[in-house]
Amino acid sequence: MASDDLLVVGLDLETGREVHVDERPMDQWRRLGYGDRESVVCAACFRGLDGVAEGTRVPLVPRGRTGGSRRFHFAHPSGMAPPGGHHPETLWHLEAKLLLERWARSLPNIAEACQEQWIPTRERRADVHVRLADGSRLALEAQTSLITDQLWQDRHRDYAAAGIQDVWFMRPGVALPHVLFAEQAPVCVLELAEGMVRVVWGRPHLRSGRWWEAGDVTVFALHHPPCPGDDVHEETVPLAELGLSARGLVWPEYLTDRLAGEHRAILQRADSVRAQAEEDNRRRHRLAAQAARSPRLSVAGGQRSAPPRTRAAGRAGTRRPRCAVCARPLADVLVPYGMHPAFRDGEGWADCLGQPCTVYPAPPAPGAARAA
């Protein structure tokens, strides 16, 4: 299986740019690598990563064969690698930056894309700085490890102050920072070997109480960006199908349509439940009014019920008022009604005791009306 821990990015000293092993046939890399022209060197060593002195030139050896178990990659000549080799995070970061740069350059609305460029204030250096044709600027960040909330917020605010929209791509296996959820920022995971992006959505929130009165009912369906504390759902998309705009990532149309469909469905459901709750509320008030006029009349069938059972007078010679239907004691506030009035609150039948004494038909199942 292809691995993200292989060295696939080198530095072409003649052009001064980083190159990917897939850009040329292997025989060309052999002529440019170790033992020949030696103009393609290890980018990590040259940049002084993983304890190597900056500017170290280590010509590379191309490795791999068609149909092999490992993808084509570069290797250090024997004895010329740093002790323990390069860290997987280093190799992932080099490849991620190059992949994001090449992808951005391929988009029709991009005027410029380059790696490791300082923003105008020189407070931050973006992994990949992108300038759109309309003049908008983006910073594409490839994050190799868990970032603290404070550090992310510092970077995010510096970019915002410079008029730059930051877009973050996380390394697989790295815990997603919840500060991104709190800031309502898009969250993506970049799979290098497959050239795929896992876009993270929030799963539907639990519907309880009068959920249809929430300020944003779309959170009760799949939604993006996720909310703090959300369980997450991932949509895997080829990087080549994504785009960029002044607001950040642009999803393919089929993904946008799917999310819009989820939102339409929950909005329709909320409207339906809201209308039913309003009707039930009106019905509850009608029943309460009827009960006040005729305490011995059963609300369920309109038939007179059995006379209420009463308890013999106590020592003090007083009787506790009881419900005309179930004969349980009545709270003082219910004495004028003569019974425990039951009503439906959107989730089921209830009354002041949580035990309705009147019998009503069960409410329809959530999908019954739609099926009809």
Side-chain angles (χ1 to χ4, degrees), residues 183-203:
E183 296 278 353
Q184 292 288 278
V187 185
C188 302
V189 179
L190 180 59
E191 298 279 1
L192 292 178
E194 294 81 13
M196 306 293 283
V197 173
R198 287 186 273 136
V199 182
V200 178
W201 291 0
R203 290 192 181 276

Side-chain angles (χ1 to χ4, degrees), residues 121-368:
T121 60
R122 298 196 66 81
E123 293 177 343
R124 297 290 172 193
R125 188 167 60 183
D127 285 339
V128 180
H129 179 270
V130 176
R131 181 168 59 85
L132 278 65
D134 64 4
S136 304
R137 290 177 295 156
L138 305 173
L140 310 183
E141 292 291 329
Q143 187 63 33
T144 62
S145 58
L146 179 62
I147 186 171
T148 65
D149 291 358
Q150 186 61 54
L151 181 56
W152 184 89
Q153 288 172 329
D154 290 344
R155 291 186 186 179
H156 177 68
R157 288 165 185 167
D158 286 344
Y159 283 133
I164 297 174
Q165 175 65 52
D166 49 329
V167 181
W168 293 75
F169 296 86
M170 307 301 294
R171 180 174 177 243
V174 173
L176 299 175
H178 281 269
V179 66
L180 297 182
F181 298 167
E183 296 278 353
Q184 292 288 278
V187 185
C188 302
V189 179
L190 180 59
E191 298 279 1
L192 292 178
E194 294 81 13
M196 306 293 283
V197 173
R198 287 186 273 136
V199 182
V200 178
W201 291 0
R203 290 192 181 276
H205 292 191
L206 179 65
R207 284 181 270 173
S208 61
R210 301 180 68 85
W211 64 270
W212 59 90
E213 294 181 347
D216 180 11
V217 298
T218 61
V219 298
F220 298 104
L222 287 173
H223 54 279
H224 184 274
C227 304
D230 274 357
D231 290 332
V232 297
H233 165 80
E234 294 181 348
E235 287 287 336
T236 302
V237 187
L239 179 62
E241 293 185 2
L242 297 175
L244 290 171
S245 72
R247 300 180 62 183
L249 277 180
V250 177
W251 297 353
E253 185 175 357
Y254 68 86
L255 213 56
T256 303
D257 289 346
R258 179 182 173 191
L259 195 64
E262 294 274 344
H263 290 180
R264 282 194 302 271
I266 197 62
L267 287 169
Q268 292 170 0
R269 176 62 179 159
D271 287 342
S272 174
V273 175
R274 184 182 299 108
Q276 183 63 57
E278 291 172 353
E279 174 60 30
D280 289 343
N281 191 48
R282 289 190 291 269
R283 183 172 184 272
R284 182 188 66 175
H285 286 293
R286 288 197 304 269
L287 295 175
Q290 292 173 8
R293 292 193 300 269
S294 180
R296 292 167 59 87
L297 186 65
S298 170
V299 178
Q303 302 296 324
R304 290 190 175 276
S305 60
R309 292 176 294 177
T310 58
R311 185 167 52 183
R315 296 177 185 175
T318 61
R319 294 180 179 178
R320 180 69 177 170
R322 292 178 173 271
C323 175
V325 177
C326 68
R328 294 197 305 273
L330 288 172
D332 291 341
V333 70
L334 297 179
V335 170
Y337 300 102
M339 64 175 61
H340 298 109
F343 61 91
R344 193 167 71 179
D345 65 358
E347 298 295 329
W349 295 102
D351 72 348
C352 63
L353 301 178
Q355 296 177 340
C357 58
T358 52
V359 180
Y360 293 88

